[in-house]
Amino acid sequence: MSASVRAASPDRVDAAGAAWRRGGLETIARSSVGASLTRAHIEDLLDQAEGAAQASFAELTRVLGLRAPEDYVREFALRVEEVGQAWPLPYFALYDGDARVIELNTTLIAEVESHLRAMGREDLVGEGLLRQVAVAHELHHHLCRIPGQPRSLVRRWRERSTAKVRELLEELAAERFSQLLVGIGHAPQDYVQAAAQWVRTRGEGGTSAGGAAGGPPHSGLMWPRP
């Protein structure tokens, strides 16, 4: 087992789940539908996303074993394309199912990693964690679209809600799945917050490179390509 694929103790898993749930509330709040959801609906979304992510993780590792995220990418005949532009592309990664490509914004990842180190958050940077989380997140969007694998996910209940809520549900599940697959104890959404801080820093004193004013990063860690 590589250093980047780590087994977690039950206590650590519980703590990680709690961290993801707190981060999930932030994802919901940033979404276009967050303000219209009741507390009960929010809790239900988090419960469903948790179940979906756990099912995907269990099925994937049962069939292929526990591996690093990019090993699965190759297994599913996907490819990672590195995009070397941090601005004005405020996303870590995007999934293109038609092209079977995960676009990875390595320049933004490097910028945010540098920002995290400056903040003293080396625990969020070590072992290329941000790259792994980004790839794992987009891998889950791919798993959601594999025919004949209902256990992999969201299709079981995606017809029950509006399109925006379905997107939100899938995003929450992808965040939790990436946390499980990479084996981190912190919330994946911590990287979104760091990116937002980095963007605001670029926007201080004027506009950022490319002429766009500083603003928040992509809503959620990495939304799938529309």
Side-chain angles (χ1 to χ4, degrees):
M1 182 179 294
S2 71
S4 62
V5 180
R6 298 170 288 180
S9 67
D11 288 345
R12 188 169 182 275
V13 169
D14 289 344
W20 164 78
R21 204 170 183 94
R22 289 192 297 270
L25 294 175
E26 297 169 6
T27 297
I28 293 169
R30 284 194 305 270
S31 74
S32 61
V33 297
S36 66
L37 300 177
T38 66
R39 182 68 187 192
H41 198 175
I42 289 172
E43 293 297 330
D44 183 55
L45 275 174
L46 290 170
D47 289 343
Q48 290 187 55
E50 170 76 30
Q54 292 280 3
S56 294
F57 176 73
E59 182 71 3
L60 183 68
T61 55
R62 181 188 69 81
V63 174
L64 297 175
L66 186 58
R67 306 183 185 183
E70 290 188 59
D71 290 340
Y72 295 113
V73 168
R74 290 186 286 271
E75 190 72 32
F76 286 102
L78 304 173
R79 69 181 189 278
V80 172
E81 289 187 356
E82 297 186 353
V83 179
Q85 184 177 0
W87 189 272
L89 301 175
Y91 61 81
F92 293 121
L94 290 173
Y95 165 68
D96 185 337
D98 293 334
R100 301 184 69 83
V101 166
I102 292 172
E103 291 185 6
L104 194 65
N105 194 336
T106 52
T107 301
L108 179 60
I109 288 172
E111 292 280 4
V112 172
E113 285 177 337
S114 178
H115 177 71
L116 286 167
R117 288 190 179 97
M119 294 170 58
R121 294 304 308 272
E122 189 68 35
D123 56 310
L124 300 187
V125 179
E127 303 180 40
L129 291 180
L130 177 48
R131 179 185 179 112
Q132 293 181 62
V133 169
V135 171
H137 183 113
E138 302 308 318
L139 174 66
H140 193 263
H141 289 310
H142 177 70
L143 295 179
C144 291
R145 288 157 178 78
I146 297 177
Q149 292 196 14
R151 290 183 62 191
S152 289
L153 189 57
V154 175
R155 280 187 308 277
R156 285 180 296 176
W157 6 267
R158 66 189 314 166
E159 289 81 13
R160 300 181 188 177
S161 304
T162 66
K164 291 295 184 182
V165 173
R166 293 197 299 270
E167 289 178 0
L168 177 58
L169 176 60
E170 186 173 326
E171 184 67 15
L172 291 166
E175 289 172 344
R176 178 62 165 141
F177 175 83
S178 68
Q179 185 191 45
L180 290 167
L181 193 62
V182 180
I184 57 175
H186 56 270
Q189 298 90 340
D190 289 349
Y191 296 116
V192 179
Q193 293 181 346
Q197 293 169 348
W198 176 79
V199 169
R200 284 195 295 270
T201 299
R202 286 181 61 87
E204 288 177 358
T207 58
S208 302
H218 216 269
S219 179
L221 234 187
M222 323 84 186
W223 285 88
R225 184 184 298 281

